[in-house]
């Protein structure tokens, strides 16, 4: 009888341990206890691009994070890889993501640029490097509200060069339009705790020792349904100034796995 009890106790402990491991890997509900949560409704749109996705949905929308002082970089992109084009019969559109500025002259210049090119998405939050999460989520929010008809979305930066033709070819070959997320995979990254480092994250901001899998913020591509899912879940995720990690946290909660599109980093 004692042996049976010991065996049952052993089995119970094994099951309890397995459950603990499972929830530590798969359940991110504990993140809701973090003091800083992302607020989806922060800021209002100041500039919106001129496009009707319902009438003529693009195959690929490129969201390029930029700053006010990068006007020349935006002009270069408009005249090179970011110009409106059709690749392999698929429509491509490029938009620039900007925050706001306290300077009236800068705000006026951005408004004039938006009126001229109709390709700026801007919201009422301070345009600063460590607001990159807000800027990226603004683009995702815009897709969710105004362009869910797009097949794919790419988030990239204004100092990147994107091989649009090759990327389109890879996406057509992949033939995936739901729950798809790809880029330069970061599968085993740790928070940087050195305060002098640009990407320093304190234990108060992120108390855990490892990041979930995420894609480098230099450029990642996802199906448009992921934009809506990330936007919906973002309010339950702790706010991080590292936008690529923040998006990775959203994907982890959604249980959306990262996929390799190509073995070489050649589309951005």
């Amino acid at each position: 009888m004692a042996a049976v009890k010991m065996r049952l106790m052993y089995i119970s402990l094994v099951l309890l341990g397995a459950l603990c491991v499972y929830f530590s890997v798969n359940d991110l509900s504990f993140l809701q206890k973090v003091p800083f949560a992302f607020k989806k409704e922060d800021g209002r749109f100041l500039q919106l691009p001129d496009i009707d996705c319902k009438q003529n949905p693009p195959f690929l929308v490129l969201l390029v994070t930029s700053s006010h002082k990068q006007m020349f970089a935006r002009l270069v992109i408009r005249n090179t890889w970011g110009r409106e084009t059709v690749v392999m019969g698929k429509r491509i559109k490029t938009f620039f993501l900007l925050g706001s500025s306290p300077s009236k002259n800068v705000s006026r210049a951005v408004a004039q640029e938006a009126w001229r090119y109709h390709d700026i998405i801007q919201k009422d939050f301070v345009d600063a490097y460590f607001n990159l999460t807000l800027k990226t989520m603004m683009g995702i929010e815009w897709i969710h509200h105004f362009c869910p008809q797009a097949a794919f979305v790419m988030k990239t930066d204004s100092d990147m060069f994107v091989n649009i033709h090759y990327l389109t070819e890879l996406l057509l070959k992949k033939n995936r339009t739901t729950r798809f997320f790809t880029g330069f995979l970061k599968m085993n990254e740790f928070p940087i705790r050195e305060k002098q480092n640009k990407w320093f994250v304190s234990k108060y901001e992120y108390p855990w020792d490892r990041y979930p899998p995420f894609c480098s913020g230099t450029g990642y591509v996802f199906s448009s349904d992921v934009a809506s899912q990330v936007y919906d879940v973002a309010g339950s995720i702790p706010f991080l100034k590292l936008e690529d990690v923040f998006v990775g946290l959203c994907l982890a909660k959604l249980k959306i796995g990262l996929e390799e599109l190509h073995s070489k980093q050649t589309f951005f």
Side-chain angles (χ1 to χ4, degrees), residues 49-110:
D50 184 15
I51 182 174
D52 186 348
C53 290
K54 290 182 180 179
Q55 187 174 1
N56 193 7
F59 173 74
L60 173 63
V61 172
L62 294 111
L63 301 174
V64 185
T65 59
S66 187
S67 66
H68 300 118
K69 64 182 180 181
Q70 293 175 326
M71 186 177 293
F72 180 72
R74 292 193 291 276
L75 184 61
V76 170
I77 291 172
R78 289 186 185 106
N79 290 316
T80 54
W81 59 265
R83 65 180 179 268
E84 181 177 355
T85 185
V86 175
V87 177
M88 302 178 70
K90 300 298 181 180
R91 188 175 183 227
I92 315 294
K93 291 291 292 184
T94 300
F95 302 109
F96 298 96
L97 307 178
L98 290 170
S100 62
S101 170
S103 167
K104 291 184 178 179
N105 290 334
V106 171
S107 298
R108 189 179 301 113
V110 170

Side-chain angles (χ1 to χ4, degrees), residues 73 75 86 117-118 152 219 237 240 242:
L75 184 61
V86 175
Y117 295 105
H118 309 288
F152 295 99
I237 301 298
L240 275 183
L242 307 181

Side-chain angles (χ1 to χ4, degrees), residues 112-124:
Q112 291 173 349
E113 184 181 355
W115 178 82
R116 180 176 181 181
Y117 295 105
H118 309 288
D119 62 0
I120 288 179
I121 301 172
Q122 184 186 32
K123 238 184 170 186
D124 190 14

